């Protein structure tokens, strides 16, 4: 535990020749890789041959990264339709590992990796860990789940590539997590932000914060806010970093934020990002919000061309204060499929979180949104946990708090909200991705 | 030895879900905490259970351990003789003293009864009542009432 102030921070860059490359050199590298990849998928993946033929695009039409817009998209549905191994560009015996995510509709999304893909994945996570100020001397406590979910394995591979000690805790059993963190002298930990906050609160409650040697946390796999980061940082007295990834592309390590927290640096030498207008798929300018789309430039096992993530964000290409030229994606404003249209207004769960945190106390930033339709009218209920410190036995005070939360949420979302106060620590903390919205409308 | 004139009430926030009250009572019963008096206030989405118990600290920690939010609140238990108009007279003194009463509930204790009062200034309520000839329960008396 020793949060480093920005003024005292010493930036470490694992691969400056890539991470600080000029835009021209990067475009040349990307062009070379894209041309090769397009030829590869056209020749080896039936699905892409058919898609390109249907669009009348041949590998020879793709001469550089500027031609990427000519290529077809890939969607999550395409992955499901070709489940489990239909999109491989190599024979199945070349696959060293599979990882997956449980789809909300039941079927898994499966991703296949060759050994080289696994190595690249570890390398990208190691770049991120370096960005968080970690080195071979560190001990990284991984409380992401291990298994098909990429969280545990991704951070483990990163620690390995870095030469650090990996502590493969997996998720759950908070008391044991804290005990091992202390006993093994962990200097960093990785998990979802909601679980990080939960762990931080638990450490504070148990009075063990001062006994921990943690100085950094790496958190991702669900959207979170600056306020939440600051809360985790202040309870544990550490620096927290945001890591992004999705198993279809590789897992955590696609992008990560540096100490300046001005967006997440995308490892665009491997994962080429495009920001597209959700309405017509035209390219967004820097700063404009759109859907994030990735092309895996060097993947062997299951290369994806223009994969639509459904994540909404914006991108900046300017050089960062940390020295990296890698473009930065901003924190997600939501997902195209998490977005709820309530009485005609677009509402994102992250807006609720930001609003609750902006209240500066009274309620915890854990919530659940429930959308119902009563008498043909959409009704949004938000369940909010009362902060233990603000708990009162006077109904008048709780009702005032409830009214205040309702006003803040209405202001932030633009729709009226029914607030339901619930007991502290009763809303589920996630170990994977938190479910924040229940939509009961039958449309 | 000074005798405390205010008493600790155990207050529990209860979400309106099935079996929640049952859970709370079970925790207290297992911890061998006796309930002397209780009041349950309800709103459309939660309830507030307020209790005078045999050992408020023990009750609170047992509930906390079970993951139930509970807090201790300072209240005054006014001794009310079983005579018509006695509560009215006491209340009149409190009103005159300009103290705001948030809520109140009562329990009988053999020869007399107790009116449990929550105000914004418990010490002042004790002063007002004692100054006008009324008596209040000490903490020990209240926690062991009816035993």
């Amino acid at each position: 535990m020793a949060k480093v102030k920005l003024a005292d921070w010493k930036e470490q860059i694992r691969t400056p020749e890539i991470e600080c490359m000029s835009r021209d050199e990067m475009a040349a590298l990307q062009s070379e890789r894209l041309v090769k990849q397009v030829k590869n998928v056209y020749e080896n993946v039936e699905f892409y041959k058919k898609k390109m033929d249907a669009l009348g695009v041949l590998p020879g039409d793709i001469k550089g990264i500027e031609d990427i817009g000519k290529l077809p998209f890939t969607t999550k549905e395409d992955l499901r339709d070709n489940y489990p191994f239909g999109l491989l560009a190599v024979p199945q015996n070349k696959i060293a590992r599979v990882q997956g995510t449980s789809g909300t509709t039941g079927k898994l999304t499966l991703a296949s990796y060759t050994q080289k893909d696994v190595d690249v994945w570890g390398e990208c996570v190691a770049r991120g860990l370096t960005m968080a100020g970690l080195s071979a001397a560190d001990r990284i406590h991984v409380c992401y789940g291990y298994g098909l979910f990429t969280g545990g394995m991704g951070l483990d591979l990163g620690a390995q590539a870095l030469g650090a000690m990996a502590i493969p805790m997996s998720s759950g059993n908070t008391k044991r997590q804290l005990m091992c963190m202390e006993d093994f002298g962990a200097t960093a930990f990785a998990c979802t932000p909601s679980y990080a906050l939960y762990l931080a609160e638990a450490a504070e409650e148990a009075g063990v914060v001062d006994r921990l040697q943690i100085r950094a946390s790496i958190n991702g796999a669900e959207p979170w806010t600056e306020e939440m980061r600051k809360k985790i940082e202040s309870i544990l007295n550490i620096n927290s970093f945001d890591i992004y990834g999705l198993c279809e592309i590789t897992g955590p390590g696609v992008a990560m934020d540096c100490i300046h927290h001005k967006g997440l640096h995308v490892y665009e030498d491997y994962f080429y990002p495009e920001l597209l207008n959700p309405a017509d798929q035209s390219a967004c300018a820097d700063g404009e919000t759109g859907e994030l789309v990735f092309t895996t430039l060097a993947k062997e096992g299951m290369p994806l061309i223009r994969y639509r993530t459904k994540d909404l964000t914006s991108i900046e290409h300017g050089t960062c204060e940390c020295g990296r030229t890698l473009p930065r994606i901003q924190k997600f404003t939501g997902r195209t499929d998490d977005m709820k249209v309530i009485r005609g207004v677009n509402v994102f769960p992250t807006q609720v979180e930001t609003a609750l945190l902006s209240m500066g106390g009274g309620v915890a930033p854990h919530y659940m949104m429930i959308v119902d339709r009563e008498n043909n009218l959409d009704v949004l209920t938000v369940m909010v946990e009362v902060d233990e410190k603000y708990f009162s036995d006077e109904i008048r005070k709780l009702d005032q708090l409830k009214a205040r939360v309702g006003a803040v949420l209405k202001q932030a979302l633009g729709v009226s909200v029914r607030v339901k106060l619930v007991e502290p620590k009763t809303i589920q903390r996630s170990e994977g991705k938190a479910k924040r919205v229940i939509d009961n409308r039958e449309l | 030895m000074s005798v405390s004139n205010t008493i600790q009430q155990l207050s529990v926030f209860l979400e309106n879900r099935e079996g929640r009250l049952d859970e709370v009572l079970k925790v207290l019963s297992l911890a061998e905490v006796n309930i002397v008096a209780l009041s349950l206030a309800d709103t459309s989405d939660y309830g507030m259970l307020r209790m005078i118990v045999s050992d408020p600290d023990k009750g609170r920690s047992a509930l906390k351990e079970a993951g139930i939010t509970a807090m201790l609140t300072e209240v005054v238990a006014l001794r009310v003789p079983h005579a018509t108009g006695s509560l009215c007279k006491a209340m009149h003194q409190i009103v005159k003293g300009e103290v705001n009463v948030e809520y109140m509930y009562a329990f009988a204790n053999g020869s007399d009864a107790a009116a449990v009062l929550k105000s914004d200034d418990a010490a002042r309520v004790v002063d007002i009542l004692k100054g006008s000839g009324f008596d209040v329960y000490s903490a020990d008396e209240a926690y062991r009432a009816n035993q």
Side-chain angles (χ1 to χ4, degrees):
Chain A
M1 45 162 297
K3 183 177 162 70
V4 181
K5 286 200 199 98
L6 188 54
D8 303 326
W9 183 262
K10 286 200 177 55
E11 188 67 44
Q12 313 179 99
I13 301 179
R14 182 170 166 90
T15 50
E17 68 282 9
I18 294 287
E19 293 172 75
C20 305
M21 216 176 210
S22 74
R23 292 247 47 93
D24 288 350
E25 287 172 296
M26 182 56 80
L29 176 67
Q30 290 168 334
S31 294
E32 184 197 319
R33 289 185 173 173
L34 180 69
V35 169
K36 221 168 120 187
Q37 187 67 288
V38 170
K39 188 168 177 288
N40 175 36
V41 297
Y42 189 82
E43 286 167 6
N44 296 305
V45 187
E46 181 67 21
F47 168 82
Y48 281 118
K49 183 177 187 307
K50 277 190 186 154
K51 275 219 163 183
M52 286 173 62
D53 285 346
L55 285 175
V57 184
L58 288 169
D61 298 332
I62 307 302
K63 299 194 166 59
I65 199 74
E66 64 281 2
D67 292 324
I68 198 160
K70 296 176 184 168
L71 291 165
F73 290 115
T74 312
T75 63
K76 196 160 189 116
E77 290 68 42
D78 292 329
L79 263 58
R80 291 223 180 92
D81 293 346
N82 292 281
Y83 170 90
F85 296 118
L87 292 177
L88 297 194
V90 296
Q92 288 185 29
N93 63 9
K94 295 276 185 229
I95 296 302
R97 155 172 302 283
V98 293
Q99 300 280 162
T101 65
S102 55
T104 40
T105 50
K107 208 155 201 191
L108 283 170
T109 302
L110 194 73
S112 301
Y113 306 67
T114 63
Q115 186 54 49
K116 191 187 149 231
D117 294 337
V118 173
D119 295 344
V120 167
W121 183 15
E123 170 59 27
C124 287
V125 177
R127 287 181 186 175
L129 295 174
T130 309
M131 205 185 278
L134 303 177
S135 67
D138 280 286
R139 299 169 182 206
I140 304 167
H141 178 108
V142 182
C143 33
Y144 273 119
Y146 280 68
L148 274 179
F149 174 57
T150 50
M153 186 48 67
L155 269 295
D156 204 291
L157 289 168
Q160 220 177 89
L162 191 64
M165 182 198 289
I167 306 172
M169 291 301 300
S170 204
S171 51
N173 199 341
T174 304
K175 266 189 190 162
R176 192 160 150 266
Q177 299 275 3
L178 290 174
M179 184 187 82
C180 294
M181 240 180 217
E182 185 186 341
D183 291 354
F184 307 163
T187 57
F189 73 102
C191 60
T192 60
S194 62
Y195 191 61
L197 184 54
Y198 184 73
L199 262 178
E201 285 168 348
E204 190 181 36
E205 202 163 297
V208 299
V209 173
D210 291 338
R211 302 210 296 264
L212 300 177
Q213 294 176 48
I214 301 285
R215 53 194 179 85
S217 73
I218 289 95
N219 310 114
E222 65 190 20
W224 54 315
T225 53
E226 277 298 290
E227 288 86 352
M228 198 160 162
R229 177 172 66 74
K230 285 177 186 149
K231 196 157 183 191
I232 297 167
E233 287 187 334
S234 78
I235 295 176
L236 293 176
N237 189 22
I238 58 170
N239 296 99
S240 295
F241 298 85
D242 192 358
I243 192 165
Y244 169 77
L246 60 172
C247 87
E248 299 91 315
I249 300 307
T250 197
V254 172
M256 175 132 168
D257 77 345
C258 66
I259 191 72
H260 299 278
H261 303 297
K262 299 271 172 67
L264 284 73
H265 292 280
V266 182
Y267 298 126
E268 59 169 346
D269 51 330
Y270 290 116
F271 318 113
Y272 183 76
E274 291 176 88
L275 263 293
L276 302 180
N277 191 322
D280 60 4
Q281 283 81 49
S282 62
C284 293
D286 274 20
E288 264 177 34
T289 299
E291 183 183 351
L292 183 59
V293 172
F294 278 112
T295 298
T296 58
L297 294 174
K299 226 174 175 200
E300 294 180 339
M302 195 179 90
L304 295 181
I305 304 294
R306 307 189 84 199
Y307 180 70
R308 299 184 61 169
T309 64
K310 295 186 176 177
D311 285 322
L312 291 171
T313 181
S314 61
I315 198 164
E316 296 288 343
H317 279 88
T319 304
C320 180
E321 288 161 67
C322 71
R324 290 179 183 81
T325 52
L326 299 171
R328 283 158 290 150
I329 48 173
Q330 299 310 303
K331 281 206 183 280
F332 295 107
T333 43
R335 283 177 59 76
T336 53
D337 54 1
D338 265 357
M339 184 183 84
K340 292 290 168 196
V341 184
I342 297 165
R343 299 190 192 182
V345 179
N346 296 349
V347 174
F348 293 103
T350 40
Q351 289 176 296
V352 173
E353 186 182 312
T354 310
L356 293 179
L357 282 158
S358 76
M359 291 181 62
V363 291
H366 302 288
Y367 59 92
M368 181 67 90
M369 292 166 62
I370 299 154
V371 194
D372 288 296
R373 181 156 286 188
E374 293 173 9
N375 301 322
N376 295 314
L377 209 60
D378 295 336
V379 178
L380 173 63
T381 305
V382 179
M383 290 166 68
V384 185
E385 285 182 6
V386 181
D387 194 324
E388 227 159 335
K389 291 180 201 119
Y390 288 78
F391 174 63
S392 166
D393 77 311
E394 287 174 33
I395 288 173
R396 194 165 52 97
K397 286 190 184 151
L398 289 175
D399 280 350
Q400 279 168 1
L401 177 65
K402 188 170 142 173
R404 200 158 64 90
V405 174
V408 166
L409 289 178
K410 186 175 180 183
Q411 173 76 29
L413 306 179
V415 287
S416 25
V417 173
R418 278 189 198 162
V419 176
K420 189 167 156 43
L421 298 179
V422 301
E423 293 170 35
K425 297 185 180 159
T426 52
I427 290 175
Q428 195 195 347
R429 277 20 173 207
S430 69
E431 284 153 8
K433 290 196 189 211
K435 186 161 173 59
R436 298 294 194 201
V437 189
I438 297 171
D439 196 340
N440 294 321
R441 292 175 296 184
E442 283 170 18
L443 300 175
Chain B
M1 204 176 92
S2 77
V3 178
S4 170
N5 286 313
T6 59
I7 59 182
Q8 298 295 319
Q9 166 191 278
L10 184 60
S11 315
V12 185
F13 178 86
L14 284 179
E15 266 171 58
N16 280 358
R17 31 188 177 99
E18 205 181 313
R20 197 61 179 153
L21 179 59
D22 186 36
E23 272 173 63
V24 172
L25 299 178
K26 199 168 162 193
V27 169
L28 292 178
S29 144
L30 286 173
E32 296 186 334
V33 173
N34 182 45
I35 302 170
V36 173
L38 73 76
S39 142
L40 179 58
D42 68 308
T43 73
S44 57
D45 50 35
Y46 61 88
M48 187 62 67
L49 179 63
R50 301 167 179 135
M51 293 171 285
I52 305 299
V53 297
S54 57
D55 187 342
D57 284 319
K58 190 173 166 194
R60 180 172 184 246
S61 40
L63 289 170
K64 202 167 178 221
E65 199 128 303
I68 296 164
T69 308
M71 65 182 289
L72 296 181
T73 316
E74 194 179 29
V75 293
V76 176
L78 160 69
R79 191 182 300 278
V80 194
H82 287 310
T84 312
S86 45
L87 179 59
C88 175
K89 279 179 208 151
M91 195 50 67
H92 187 65
Q93 298 299 326
I94 294 172
V95 171
K96 256 176 50 189
E98 292 182 341
V99 182
N100 187 25
V101 173
E102 293 290 345
Y103 56 79
M104 187 165 89
Y105 56 98
F107 66 92
N109 181 32
S111 58
D112 55 28
V116 179
L117 290 165
K118 165 73 191 288
S119 68
D120 40 17
D121 190 345
R124 195 166 143 68
V125 170
V126 173
D127 280 352
I128 292 169
L129 291 171
K130 290 200 153 180
S132 49
F134 286 93
D135 190 18
V136 296
Y137 278 76
S138 71
D140 273 2
E141 275 181 293
Y143 302 157
R144 284 187 281 109
N146 285 313
Q147 281 189 357

